Amino acid sequence: MALRAVSKRIVSPHLARLSRPISSYADLSDENKMIRDMARQFAEAELMPIAGNVDAKHEFPTNAIKAMGELGFMGINIKEEYGGAGMDTLAYALAMEEISRGCASSGVIMSAHNSLYCSPVNNFGTKEQKEEFLTPYASGNKIGCFGLSEPGNGSDAGAASTTATQDDVSGDWTLNGTKAWITNAHDSSCSVIFATTDKSLPGSKAISAFIVPTNTPGFSLGAKEDKLGIRGSSTGNLIMENVILPSNALLGKQGSGFKIAMMTLDGGRIGIASQALGIAQAALECALKYSKERVAFGKPISSMFAIQNKLSEMGCKVEAARLLTWRAAA
């Protein structure tokens, strides 16, 4: 993979937190500049031409996601031994911005897969779980999702109505419940699911996390949501009716689900910020282009002070958001 070759040249200081805040493009390492340029070139060549149709037709960009996996973007922070690229969080933010600039749907697919599926499996999974449920996903061969939100509880990680009951003899777990508004729902091969395992404990201690293959008997999907945008990424319900899992499907320790969810969501903020940043940059570029083409009173509106002022304010806000995101990632 392209990113794996780059990652081997990164010395240890680049893998640690930067000693000072990033204040300009010049502060990026040569390796991170290469990653940003590679992601931008890919986005402009492969994503921008298909972005409109992907969104209009609710079409999962299969070929594009496969190519992103080959470049190392679908497991960018995961170690090479588990199929990833072994890059740092700043590299993830840079690549995410450029992918989202080219196609918002591809960006959210990449973000949810990396931040919400690969990350918790990588951080809390056993060696055996990583080999089975991380390696083929970090390489981009399969997609994963994150089952936290519920119809009645939203994303309150301490109030899961979904239950998981363990058999005293076999040790198997039986899951029942519904997860709602799940990104990548219809395109995932596996999901991290949060369920209540002990109702006698306080909310945050009653929740556990499980690795649930989507082809498990009793696991089904609701209808795809008809969204206003970013429609190439499927969003829907995960429905579990007496889904039986082996005891080793538990991710982390029993009762640690709340902690896993919070840590995962904290890390996911970088991906979300980078998605928004890429979309904002694309919107700014579209607005600038239109201002040069739209003629009013005999001249392009880009020559008018009110429009210039609006565009300059947009540019300042995007740049401020970029530097803040980079600083958080570094």
Side-chain angles (χ1 to χ4, degrees):
M1 291 184 183
L3 288 191
R4 291 176 187 169
V6 173
S7 69
K8 291 180 179 178
R9 296 200 297 273
I10 294 183
V11 294
S12 56
H14 291 146
L15 294 177
R17 295 182 62 85
L18 299 183
S19 58
R20 62 189 178 89
I22 291 178
S23 58
S24 71
Y25 178 75
D27 289 332
L28 296 176
S29 68
D30 290 341
E31 290 80 9
N32 279 331
K33 290 178 182 178
M34 288 173 61
I35 292 164
R36 189 185 188 212
D37 291 343
M38 181 171 66
R40 171 166 290 199
Q41 292 168 13
F42 173 79
E44 292 179 348
E46 304 296 335
L47 298 181
M48 287 184 179
I50 68 170
N53 280 336
V54 163
D55 197 68
K57 297 179 180 179
H58 295 230
E59 187 177 88
F60 184 82
T62 302
N63 293 335
I65 298 303
K66 181 179 180 181
M68 287 162 58
E70 293 171 352
L71 289 171
F73 294 148
M74 300 305 287
I76 192 167
N77 296 143
I78 306 302
K79 293 180 180 178
E80 290 185 58
E81 66 179 296
Y82 293 117
M87 303 300 289
D88 61 8
T89 304
L90 181 56
Y92 174 41
L94 293 167
M96 176 58 62
E97 177 188 344
E98 296 302 331
I99 295 298
S100 298
R101 171 177 169 264
C103 174
S105 292
S106 298
V108 76
I109 292 166
M110 174 182 165
S111 178
H113 174 77
N114 273 284
S115 296
L116 302 182
Y117 177 79
C118 289
S119 178
V121 176
N122 181 58
N123 291 332
F124 297 96
T126 64
K127 184 176 185 298
E128 292 73 22
Q129 287 175 327
K130 291 179 184 180
E131 289 174 349
E132 182 175 0
F133 297 109
L134 182 60
T135 300
Y137 293 82
S139 63
N141 291 326
K142 294 182 178 180
I143 300 295
C145 63
F146 183 78
L148 175 63
S149 298
E150 295 185 348
N153 302 319
S155 56
D156 183 352
S161 296
T162 298
T163 60
T165 305
Q166 189 171 31
D167 186 275
D168 293 334
V169 178
S170 66
D172 291 347
W173 293 93
T174 301
L175 271 64
N176 283 282
T178 298
K179 299 296 180 177
W181 314 293
I182 306 303
T183 302
N184 295 342
H186 289 256
D187 306 295
S188 293
S189 298
C190 199
S191 178
V192 173
I193 297 290
F194 295 86
T196 297
T197 50
D198 190 342
K199 295 182 179 180
S200 67
L201 296 175
S204 62
K205 297 181 180 180
I207 310 299
S208 299
F210 297 86
I211 300 175
V212 185
T214 57
N215 62 357
T216 306
F219 190 104
S220 61
L221 300 170
K224 289 185 180 180
E225 299 288 348
D226 187 12
K227 301 179 292 184
L228 295 177
I230 316 185
R231 301 197 294 179
S233 164
S234 63
T235 301
N237 288 4
L238 309 180
I239 303 167
M240 289 152 286
E241 298 175 298
N242 294 323
V243 170
I244 299 177
L245 302 171
S247 59
N248 60 8
L250 184 69
L251 180 63
K253 297 179 180 179
Q254 183 174 342
S256 64
F258 182 83
K259 173 185 176 182
I260 293 173
M262 291 298 98
M263 289 182 64
T264 299
L265 293 173
D266 283 347
R269 305 308 179 197
I270 297 295
I272 292 172
S274 302
Q275 285 178 63
L277 181 57
I279 294 170
Q281 179 65 42
L284 174 59
E285 292 169 5
C286 287
L288 179 59
K289 181 175 182 293
Y290 179 76
S291 74
K292 294 178 179 179
E293 297 170 347
R294 175 75 165 88
V295 175
F297 304 102
K299 57 184 178 181
I301 62 173
S302 61
S303 64
M304 300 176 181
F305 175 75
I307 300 301
Q308 292 174 348
N309 186 57
K310 182 181 289 291
L311 289 170
S312 64
E313 285 186 356
M314 291 166 64
C316 287
K317 289 179 179 179
V318 170
E319 192 60 25
R322 176 172 292 115
L323 294 177
L324 183 60
T325 300
W326 288 3
R327 180 173 182 176

